[in-house]
Amino acid sequence: RSHGGGRVNALFWWEPTPGVRLGPTLGTDDVQAAFGATSASFLGRGAFGETWRIVDPDGAVRAVKVVLDENYPEAYLKREVGGLRRVDDPRVVALQDVLTVGLPMGSRPVLAFEFVDGGDVAGRIESQSWPTFEDTQAFLRELLGAVTELHAVETVHRDIKPENVALRGASWAAPVLLDLGLAKLLNAESFTQYPALMGTLPFMAPEQVQQQEARKAADVWAVGVVAHILLAREHPVFDDRGRAVLADEALERMRKGPRPLPDGVPEATAAVVRRLLSFEPHERGSAARAYRDLGGGTR
């Protein structure tokens, strides 16, 4: 159903049972054989494939993203590779290789990354291992630093969320931005035909919910959502899970502004988070500005 120029007025926030993630479709033995690895362990599954941790015979550890969807456009894969190779920063996962491997269902494309040891933010939330306010301030600063580097090469991520932020060495002060599968060069021809929903609903900016093109301000909003969740242990806007949410309802909640942050949050952090969650994109400011406001560099 649609209205208002064809915009679909229905979204769905689907969430698995807390603490439970989708399992693998590939077998461990098949993955080991495909990569000639001495061991393989499943890390997670997304819309187009799944990621495994493998150990090579020389002891090197890699994370490999196997694209299983036969209809996944090659152009999307090239876009992800391009997005990753444009950034050289420890806060953005390093792409090591692009290859094709043989699996029981046939040859599949693979992206091989550095393995970021330490787990991801989603895992910490699921285990109720929450950061302190000071830890969150350091996390927010460095995540903004990662986004600043991405935006400096005119690339937007479009799907920043807890599952896509690792913690190098399990440190809240060392976030690493993962998975640029939806990343897009701002000056490149878009593969997305608008109106379209691109991203994950709880972390979409208002303009994404309205099925407009996601630009840098959408990444800034998503960082604000992640930071608010870590500070308040609740989403800044939504509290309903596992049900249909109308786009108009979502936008109305966003327009009212985020829920208050708890007492004790450092004012510098609170001011940045409130600004990042401004309904109007131009009011959020840049990732670089927020990074500087939290004491992070001069870019």
Side-chain angles (χ1 to χ4, degrees), residues 193-216:
Q193 298 298 314
Y194 294 94
L197 287 172
M198 298 294 290
T200 304
L201 174 58
F203 302 93
M204 284 183 185
E207 58 271 25
Q208 287 174 287
V209 173
Q210 296 175 86
Q211 301 180 52
Q212 300 171 6
E213 184 176 8
R215 302 187 71 82
K216 293 177 182 179

Side-chain angles (χ1 to χ4, degrees), residues 1-11 195 197 209 211 246-248:
R1 295 173 302 182
S2 65
H3 71 93
R7 177 166 62 84
V8 176
N9 190 31
L11 306 172
L197 287 172
V209 173
Q211 301 180 52
L246 296 179
D248 289 344

Side-chain angles (χ1 to χ4, degrees), residues 4-5 12 18 45 52 69-70 101 103 121 129-130 138 140 145 195 197 211-213 217 226 250 259 272 287-288:
F12 189 72
R45 194 169 109 200
W52 289 73
D69 185 349
E70 295 181 356
V101 299
L103 291 163
V121 174
S129 299
W130 298 97
L140 174 58
L197 287 172
Q211 301 180 52
Q212 300 171 6
E213 184 176 8
V226 174
R259 295 184 172 98
V272 166

Side-chain angles (χ1 to χ4, degrees), residues 134-152:
E134 290 72 21
D135 285 342
T136 303
Q137 179 168 302
F139 168 87
L140 174 58
R141 181 184 64 243
E142 297 310 312
L143 182 57
L144 286 164
V147 175
T148 296
E149 293 300 318
L150 202 62
H151 289 180

Side-chain angles (χ1 to χ4, degrees), residues 105-117:
M105 74 285 292
S107 296
R108 305 305 307 147
V110 172
L111 301 178
F113 302 91
E114 65 167 321
F115 175 70
V116 182
D117 193 9

Side-chain angles (χ1 to χ4, degrees), residues 7 19 35 68 98 126 169 224 240 255 267 269 277 287 295 299:
R7 177 166 62 84
F35 292 96
L68 297 177
V98 182
E126 289 169 0
D240 302 294
R255 194 173 280 111
E267 181 50 37
T269 303
L277 293 173
R299 183 186 280 274

Side-chain angles (χ1 to χ4, degrees), residues 210-234:
Q210 296 175 86
Q211 301 180 52
Q212 300 171 6
E213 184 176 8
R215 302 187 71 82
K216 293 177 182 179
D219 283 349
V220 169
W221 169 280
V223 171
V225 174
V226 174
H228 192 288
I229 289 172
L230 294 178
L231 291 166
R233 304 187 184 183
E234 64 177 359

